[in-house]
Amino acid sequence: QVQLVESGGGLVEPGGSLRLSCAASGLTLEYYPIGWFRQAPGKEREGVSCVSSGSDTTYYADSVRGRFSISRDTTGNTVFLEMNDLKPEDTAVYSCAVGPKYNLCAYPVLPFLYNYWGQGTQVTVSS
């Protein structure tokens, strides 16, 4: 049974940083494309970033490029989203998701291309 568990969210002031984690069980993340998504109240789910299976190919939404960084820890079967210079508009529930095995990720990062989802972690950017 595939399970994804996000952690690392919280309350941070503008300009601050957070590191989100997505820990997987039931599959080996290295062989799957991983996406990070966010959804703010009253807004549609937005693809933030993705990393392809078996490679370091990554994509970022324009709104986060240069501030966010996605990475894998193959040893720990975990994917991270490092978020720097956070802004109030980054406030949302952030979720990770896994796509079909051996697939590459693409831009834009579209939710319907991903099969398994975590429950999400809240990120609030406020002073």
Side-chain angles (χ1 to χ4, degrees):
Q1 181 178 355
V2 176
Q3 188 174 16
L4 303 175
V5 179
E6 302 94 336
S7 61
L11 173 63
V12 63
E13 292 186 350
S17 299
L18 285 173
R19 189 193 199 200
L20 304 184
S21 299
C22 173
S25 59
L27 53 74
T28 301
L29 282 180
E30 181 179 2
Y31 303 124
Y32 295 82
I34 310 299
W36 279 100
F37 299 83
R38 67 185 181 186
Q39 189 165 21
K43 294 189 176 182
E44 291 188 358
R45 180 175 283 168
E46 175 190 16
V48 173
S49 180
C50 66
V51 57
S52 290
S53 63
S55 77
D56 294 328
T57 301
T58 59
Y59 291 96
Y60 298 92
D62 290 343
S63 57
V64 307
R65 188 175 296 115
R67 300 187 298 121
F68 290 13
S69 177
I70 189 171
S71 61
R72 294 180 187 268
D73 171 10
T74 56
T75 303
N77 209 30
T78 302
V79 172
F80 303 100
L81 185 68
E82 185 78 34
M83 306 187 297
N84 299 310
D85 189 23
L86 283 161
K87 304 176 181 183
E89 52 264 40
D90 294 318
T91 296
V93 175
Y94 284 72
S95 302
C96 62
V98 173
K101 196 172 184 180
Y102 302 127
N103 269 23
L104 303 177
C105 74
Y107 183 81
V109 185
L110 299 173
F112 75 87
L113 295 176
Y114 292 78
N115 310 114
Y116 300 103
W117 291 79
Q119 83 290 348
T121 184
Q122 176 70 46
V123 171
T124 303
V125 184
S126 175
S127 55

